[in-house]
């Protein structure tokens, strides 16, 4: 773009100074042509400047796990594979590459699961009989979650915790909080539930 502007100024200067031509007609024609070209390439120009804004803002980076909330309640979730001048490529959970124009990324609400930490909080709810002492239930559930966390939680993730969520007619509901990475959420929940079954 810089080279194009420099060449354009140089050619204009050569026509005006060397050949002593009146630049009014040339500038008027180039202005009209610029408007026509700008209208024709409006989407492309918007994509280029949106890509520039995305790269400067650094709200998302290559390798980040994101969720995009677009128009009409559409949700795209996956890993950012590439951010170019015109498009952003996202590898979704079905291993499909979703190619989005940068203007769609700039207009969407984006949740970045990779910032500020490479893990997120999720939970597993377990209902136990009211006759099970709460301190014993919490101890058993926490031991199970800690045992399973070694297989999926990042090193910097906090230790799992357990709280009493609610007392219902069916029993006492306990919430087990775990901290998997974005990719290991389903596997983490599965492993924790298996460990809880073993410990119970």
């Amino acid at each position: 773009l810089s080279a194009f502007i420099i060449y354009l100024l140089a050619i204009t200067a050569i026509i005006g100074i060397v050949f002593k031509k009146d630049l009014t007609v040339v500038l008027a024609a180039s202005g009209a042509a610029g408007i026509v070209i700008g209208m024709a390439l409006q989407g492309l120009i918007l994509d280029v400047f949106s890509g520039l804004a995305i790269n400067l803002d650094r709200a998302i980076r290559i390798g980040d796990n994101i969720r995009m909330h677009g128009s009409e309640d559409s949700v795209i979730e996956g890993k950012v594979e590439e951010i170019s001048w015109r498009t952003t490529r996202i590898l979704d959970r079905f291993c499909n590459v979703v190619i989005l124009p940068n203007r769609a990324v700039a207009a969407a609400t984006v949740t970045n699961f990779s910032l500020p930490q490479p893990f997120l909080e999720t939970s597993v709810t377990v209902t136990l009989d009211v006759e099970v002492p709460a301190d014993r239930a919490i101890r058993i559930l926490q031991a199970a979650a800690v045992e399973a966390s070694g297989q999926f939680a990042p090193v910097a993730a906090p230790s799992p915790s357990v709280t009493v969520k609610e007392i219902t007619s069916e029993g006492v509901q306990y919430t087990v909080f775990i901290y998997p990475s974005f990719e290991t959420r389903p596997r983490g929940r599965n492993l924790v539930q298996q460990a809880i079954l073993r410990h119970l």
Side-chain angles (χ1 to χ4, degrees):
L1 188 60
S2 301
F4 173 75
I5 292 170
I6 290 168
Y7 277 115
L8 185 63
L9 291 173
I11 290 169
T12 306
I14 289 168
I15 292 172
I17 296 169
V18 176
F19 296 109
K20 308 285 190 210
K21 297 291 182 180
D22 184 19
L23 296 178
T24 309
V25 177
V26 176
L27 291 174
S30 65
I35 291 171
V36 172
I37 292 170
M39 294 294 286
L41 300 177
Q42 182 179 4
L44 182 63
I45 293 168
L46 188 57
D47 285 337
V48 169
F49 281 100
S50 297
L52 184 61
I54 290 168
N55 280 293
L56 290 175
D57 192 31
R58 306 292 288 168
I60 61 171
R61 301 163 300 180
I62 294 172
D64 283 356
N65 296 293
I66 65 169
R67 177 185 293 150
M68 288 181 48
H69 310 269
S71 59
E72 301 173 5
D73 297 328
S74 62
V75 175
I76 298 170
E77 193 174 88
K79 185 175 187 177
V80 179
E81 293 288 308
E82 181 185 349
I83 303 171
S84 68
W85 285 99
R86 203 176 66 79
T87 60
T88 298
R89 295 170 188 261
I90 298 171
L91 182 67
D92 70 6
R93 58 187 174 143
F94 303 110
C95 294
N96 299 316
V97 176
V98 181
I99 303 170
L100 297 165
N102 284 334
R103 64 179 178 268
V105 177
T109 301
V110 179
T111 304
N112 192 333
F113 295 108
S114 299
L115 295 174
Q117 300 291 340
F119 56 83
L120 53 93
E121 182 183 86
T122 187
S123 62
V124 174
T125 302
V126 180
T127 304
L128 299 178
D129 194 275
V130 291
E131 296 193 6
V132 178
D135 58 341
R136 184 176 180 205
I138 289 172
R139 190 172 62 251
I140 290 170
L141 294 174
Q142 189 155 8
V146 168
E147 176 191 294
S149 288
Q151 300 176 60
F152 62 83
V155 177
S159 181
S161 61
V162 180
T163 61
V164 176
K165 180 184 178 184
E166 193 176 354
I167 301 169
T168 67
S169 57
E170 298 174 359
V172 181
Q173 288 186 353
Y174 296 90
T175 303
V176 182
F177 294 100
I178 57 174
Y179 301 90
S181 63
F182 179 81
E183 298 93 339
T184 59
R185 285 176 306 161
R187 181 169 172 264
R189 290 173 58 84
N190 178 43
L191 289 171
V192 167
Q193 290 179 88
Q194 288 183 34
I196 287 171
L197 282 174
R198 285 197 304 273
H199 280 248
L200 289 173

